[in-house]
């Protein structure tokens, strides 16, 4: 088989420091975005499994039994359970309000105090769910321009070389210019998966936050009715996302 006189290998050999730096940046952005995609995909897969435990919570015979069900549903090597964190924070808020009547927040209505704490727990979980998405958004918006810069620089470098050699025939121009255009293709190849993943994760996160809001509304009604359980101290943590 005859070796291809043009291609990526020749582009790398003939490229200067600027074009090689652009290629390295695109490779770095690709690795970063795919790392986030893999970690966030695993986390969301685990969270979808945990949503079933959130629905089964209200079928438990007591609040503590439901809380234990949510706690057991948390995988050891996966993300935390935001439903468990939300229920636990509501329970602790109720206990804190009851035992600190002399504090300033003790003069707040119980309904407002619970609403504020449940809203804070949802915001913490939502913030954790967003971890890593900034990287995908940045890669999706910047990578095409980085690739375009590599293409412009490659074409300039090729034209300068052709002008210095005095050979401007089409066969002499097509190779270097075509190789420079590869940078644009690389930029698109990096940006498109990052953009699609960002949109998919954002849509999934909105669905999870919507379920947390419904769960918080049910918890609020349960605590306010006076059927709330005796609070116990625990060490719940918000749901962990991919960095």
């Amino acid at each position: 088989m005859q070796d291809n006189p043009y291609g990526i290998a020749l582009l790398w050999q003939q490229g200067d420091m600027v074009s090689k730096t652009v290629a390295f940046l695109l490779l770095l952005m690709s690795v970063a975005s795919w790392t986030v995609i893999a970690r966030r995909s695993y986390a969301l897969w685990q969270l979808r499994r945990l949503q079933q435990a959130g629905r089964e919570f209200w079928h438990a015979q007591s609040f503590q039994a439901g809380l234990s069900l949510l706690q057991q549903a948390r995988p050891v090597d996966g993300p935390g359970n935001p439903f468990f964190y939300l229920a636990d924070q509501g329970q602790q808020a109720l206990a804190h309000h009851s035992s600190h009547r002399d504090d300033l927040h003790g003069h707040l209505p119980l309904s407002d105090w619970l609403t504020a704490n449940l809203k804070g727990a949802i915001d913490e979980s939502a913030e954790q769910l967003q971890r890593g998405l900034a990287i995908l958004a940045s890669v999706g918006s910047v990578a095409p321009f980085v690739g375009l810069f590599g293409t412009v620089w490659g074409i300039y470098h090729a034209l300068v070389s052709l002008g210095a050699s005095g050979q401007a025939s089409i066969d002499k121009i097509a190779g270097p210019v075509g190789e420079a255009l590869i940078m644009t293709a690389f930029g698109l190849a990096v940006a498109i998966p990052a953009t699609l993943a960002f949109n998919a994760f954002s849509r999934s996160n909105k669905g999870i936050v919507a379920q947390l809001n419904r769960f918080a509304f049910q918890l609020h009604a349960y605590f306010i009715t006076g059927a709330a359980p005796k609070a116990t101290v625990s060490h719940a943590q918000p749901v962990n996302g991919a960095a």
Side-chain angles (χ1 to χ4, degrees):
M1 177 183 290
Q2 184 179 3
D3 294 336
N4 185 7
Y6 309 113
I8 299 176
L10 186 61
L11 174 64
W12 180 261
Q13 293 175 1
Q14 295 181 351
D16 58 2
M17 184 60 63
V18 175
S19 60
K20 291 181 179 180
T21 300
V22 170
F24 177 76
L25 287 176
L26 290 174
L27 177 62
L28 185 63
M29 286 190 288
S30 179
V31 172
S33 63
W34 279 107
T35 300
V36 172
I37 290 172
R39 298 186 64 178
R40 292 303 309 159
S41 298
Y42 175 74
L44 286 175
W45 176 71
Q46 294 283 12
L47 285 173
R48 289 194 179 96
R49 296 177 58 190
L50 298 176
Q51 290 173 12
Q52 181 63 31
R55 289 188 288 267
E56 294 176 354
F57 171 84
W58 297 108
H59 296 285
Q61 299 302 310
S62 66
F63 185 89
Q64 291 301 327
L67 200 63
S68 298
L69 177 65
L70 293 177
Q71 189 174 22
Q72 293 172 1
R74 181 188 184 278
V76 177
D77 58 345
N81 191 337
F83 297 95
F84 169 72
Y85 181 70
L86 187 59
D88 181 79
Q89 289 298 299
Q91 178 183 237
Q92 293 191 42
L94 177 65
H96 193 76
H97 187 274
S98 302
S99 59
H100 294 76
R101 293 290 187 179
D102 296 333
D103 295 345
L104 288 177
H105 65 71
H107 300 284
L108 293 174
L110 177 59
S111 178
D112 295 342
W113 175 250
L114 284 173
T115 299
N117 281 271
L118 292 173
K119 179 65 166 56
I122 293 176
D123 290 341
E124 291 179 20
S125 295
E127 183 179 355
Q128 295 292 332
L129 289 171
Q130 296 296 322
R131 293 182 61 184
L133 296 191
I135 295 177
L136 296 179
S138 299
V139 170
S141 59
V142 173
F145 296 101
V146 174
L148 182 60
F149 174 77
T151 294
V152 173
W153 183 263
I155 292 176
Y156 165 76
H157 189 69
L159 293 178
V160 169
S161 300
L162 292 173
S165 64
Q167 298 177 352
S169 59
I170 189 63
D171 59 323
K172 299 296 183 181
I173 296 177
V177 172
E179 291 166 4
L181 291 174
I182 295 177
M183 286 294 185
T184 299
F186 284 168
L188 294 175
V190 173
I192 291 175
T195 301
L196 294 176
F198 175 83
N199 293 333
F201 292 147
S202 297
R203 184 171 58 253
S204 298
N205 289 345
K206 288 180 180 179
I208 294 174
V209 172
Q211 292 190 21
L212 289 175
N213 280 307
R214 289 193 293 268
F215 188 62
F217 178 81
Q218 295 169 336
L219 287 172
H220 183 274
Y222 179 78
F223 288 133
I224 292 300
T225 57
K230 294 181 180 180
T232 58
V233 178
S234 62
H235 303 282
Q237 298 293 330
V239 56
N240 294 323

